[in-house]
């Protein structure tokens, strides 16, 4: 579940106006072209820079490595109910066996028995577990999700997202990221 970031593409970490990343997973990054465009449109402040300088006939500037939005974007209070967000809440793990492969969407109370497609009835499940559980209730087949499905807050999803750092993090980003894991140099 690692997001591939290419250091050669000199991406800029995008912070909200409160200096927190707009998103942890995937980490909010812009291409250097988009970062420059936002600087020219006066939408962001440059917080930190790469050594690399770009030149045009009319100006030259260092490429930004961290930018912050000038106006605060209010995060949604309640995250949208999407497949991705369900997987993120469940940390991309099957809630029955822990597998990270072949994830699907499982209705804990099957739809055929009136189960709804909502935060509190849907969990991540690998395809084999989903197949095995079929149209049965958890108690009928003794398959209970590890955690009771719940409606997460944005904070919950951010926290989980921090468990999935991308393959590359520039040193200038580190002051704004608080990863739980020890990172390779
Ligand atoms: Zn499974």
């Amino acid at each position: 579940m690692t997001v591939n970031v290419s250091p050669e593409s000199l991406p800029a970490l995008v912070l909200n106006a409160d200096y927190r990343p707009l998103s942890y997973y995937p980490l909010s990054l812009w291409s250097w072209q988009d970062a420059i465009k936002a600087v020219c449109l006066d939408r962001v402040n440059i917080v930190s820079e790469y050594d690399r300088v770009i030149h045009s006939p009319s100006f030259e500037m260092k490429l930004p490595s961290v930018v912050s939005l000038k106006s605060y974007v209010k995060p949604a209070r309640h995250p949208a109910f999407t497949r991705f967000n369900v997987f993120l809440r469940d940390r991309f793990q099957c809630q029955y066996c822990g597998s990270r492969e072949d994830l699907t969407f499982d209705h804990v109370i099957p739809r055929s028995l009136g189960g709804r497609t909502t935060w509190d009835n849907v969990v991540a499940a690998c395809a084999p577990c989903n197949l095995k559980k079929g149209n049965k209730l958890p108690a009928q087949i003794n398959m209970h999700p590890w955690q009771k499905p719940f409606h997460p807050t944005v904070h919950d999803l951010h926290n989980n997202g921090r468990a999935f750092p991308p393959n590359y993090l520039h040193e200038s980003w580190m002051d704004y990221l608080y990863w739980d894991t020890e990172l390779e140099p």
Side-chain angles (χ1 to χ4, degrees), residues 108-172:
V108 178
I109 297 173
R111 263 183 301 189
S112 58
L113 299 175
R116 296 192 305 151
T117 305
T118 54
W119 282 113
D120 46 20
N121 191 47
V122 169
V123 296
C126 70
C129 285
N130 199 338
L131 196 67
K132 186 172 156 203
K133 183 162 165 293
N135 284 326
K136 302 201 179 63
L137 289 167
Q140 284 176 322
I141 187 163
N142 201 24
M143 285 176 72
H144 300 274
W146 285 2
Q147 78 182 351
K148 192 173 148 42
F150 64 100
H151 194 150
T153 61
V154 166
H155 182 76
D156 294 329
L157 296 189
H158 263 242
N159 255 348
N160 286 357
R162 284 162 55 184
F164 302 98
N167 61 323
Y168 166 79
L169 296 166
H170 188 254
E171 58 189 23
S172 70

Side-chain angles (χ1 to χ4, degrees), residues 94-99 125-126 128-129:
C94 172
Q95 291 299 295
Y96 300 106
C97 75
S99 168
C126 70
C129 285

Side-chain angles (χ1 to χ4, degrees), residues 17 29 31 41 66 114 125 163:
L29 297 173
S31 67
L41 292 171
V66 181

